[in-house]
Amino acid sequence: AQSVTQPDIHITVSEGASLELRCNYSYGATPYLFWYVQSPGQGLQLLLKYFSGDTLVQGIKGFEAEFKRSQSSFNLRKPSVHWSDAAEYFCAVGARGGGADGLTFGKGTHLIIQP
Amino acid sequence: ETGVTQSPTHLIKTRGQQVTLRCSSQSGHNTVSWYQQALGQGPQFIFQYYREEENGRGNFPPRFSGLQFPNYSSELNVNALELDDSALYLCASSVDRGPSRYTFGSGTRLTVV
């Protein structure tokens, strides 16, 4: 069965500092990988996704993520965070093709931005 | 694009009751999926409908059921509500059969007392 682990429940970063959120997955083949962001009381907004090709993926709001097959990781990075980045971040894995199994999400990392 | 709209935004039900949550998808989005997000957790896949038929289901009991209509709207029905059903319920629609291009709604917050 597929699974996603986000080891950090909370992360506190100073505004302007760099950010890295960790994600490890377990899947039998090369999956689709996603990062979503959720603000309080809101739905999920897609930041970026990896399907194939270049393992460094660029997303919205200045985020990027790197797929490392050997480490089963898909870590999210941002060089300089803004106070508006404070939110919950979810990593997710999905099956390739027209899979009807939905996405498997991690438990999320709560990002706190210090002024 | 009008996005994905869910209603109601909040509701409170009593244990044992039944509830219907609604989702209105974008035109052309033949796939709709429902997720349950308990407090402090990531979303969990309930089931998926493609062209009005359920074609995928997560680890949820049969008292969770759904419908998808030709006008791109859908429903999630939960019977015999339990306290643990309290959660944010998210609807996601897509033009694809899989989850690669989801658009999520803002969710319905269900509280069971």
Side-chain angles (χ1 to χ4, degrees):
Chain A
Q2 58 203 44
S3 66
V4 176
T5 302
Q6 294 181 246
D8 304 305
I9 299 174
H10 301 277
I11 282 189
T12 300
V13 178
S14 297
E15 191 169 14
S18 64
L19 170 71
E20 183 171 32
L21 303 182
R22 296 184 290 164
C23 172
N24 292 97
Y25 68 90
S26 173
Y27 193 73
T30 302
Y32 287 153
L33 294 162
F34 305 81
W35 274 100
Y36 285 89
V37 62
Q38 185 178 40
S39 297
Q42 298 298 310
L44 299 170
Q45 182 183 22
L46 179 67
L47 288 175
L48 48 79
K49 57 189 177 184
Y50 172 77
F51 288 174
S52 64
D54 192 347
T55 57
L56 186 62
V57 181
Q58 302 298 320
I60 63 171
K61 303 185 179 185
F63 286 94
E64 67 178 26
E66 186 171 11
F67 169 59
K68 293 185 177 180
R69 184 192 307 272
S70 61
Q71 299 176 19
S72 297
S73 70
F74 189 56
N75 294 349
L76 182 72
R77 300 193 294 249
K78 186 171 185 178
S80 176
V81 298
H82 185 262
W83 64 266
S84 60
D85 293 324
E88 195 80 18
Y89 290 80
F90 293 96
C91 180
V93 63
R96 294 181 169 269
D101 297 329
L103 293 178
T104 299
F105 286 84
K107 292 187 176 182
T109 296
H110 184 60
L111 177 62
I112 300 165
I113 307 296
Q114 281 184 334
Chain B
E1 290 190 345
T2 57
V4 177
T5 304
Q6 292 187 242
S7 62
T9 54
H10 298 81
L11 77 164
I12 300 173
K13 288 287 190 176
T14 301
R15 189 172 49 183
Q17 285 187 317
Q18 180 266 345
V19 69
T20 297
L21 310 182
R22 294 179 173 83
C23 173
S24 177
S25 305
Q26 299 172 226
S27 178
H29 282 209
N30 295 310
T31 298
V32 64
S33 300
W34 287 88
Y35 287 80
Q36 180 195 68
Q37 186 179 15
L39 199 61
Q41 302 294 315
Q44 281 193 289
F45 176 65
I46 302 174
F47 47 55
Q48 176 175 295
Y49 277 76
Y50 175 71
R51 292 187 172 175
E52 302 165 46
E53 290 195 6
E54 183 181 309
N55 71 335
R57 191 174 188 92
N59 190 25
F60 280 82
R63 62 188 183 85
F64 286 78
S65 63
L67 288 171
Q68 185 186 24
F69 303 102
N71 65 351
Y72 304 108
S73 66
S74 58
E75 292 179 353
L76 165 65
N77 299 289
V78 187
N79 294 322
L81 283 167
E82 301 176 359
L83 297 179
D84 285 349
D85 295 333
S86 295
L88 179 69
Y89 288 85
L90 295 165
C91 163
S93 70
S94 175
V95 295
D96 298 330
R97 293 185 68 171
S100 61
R101 289 197 281 173
Y102 274 163
T103 299
F104 277 90
S106 296
T108 294
R109 172 71 64 188
L110 171 65
T111 302
V112 182
V113 297

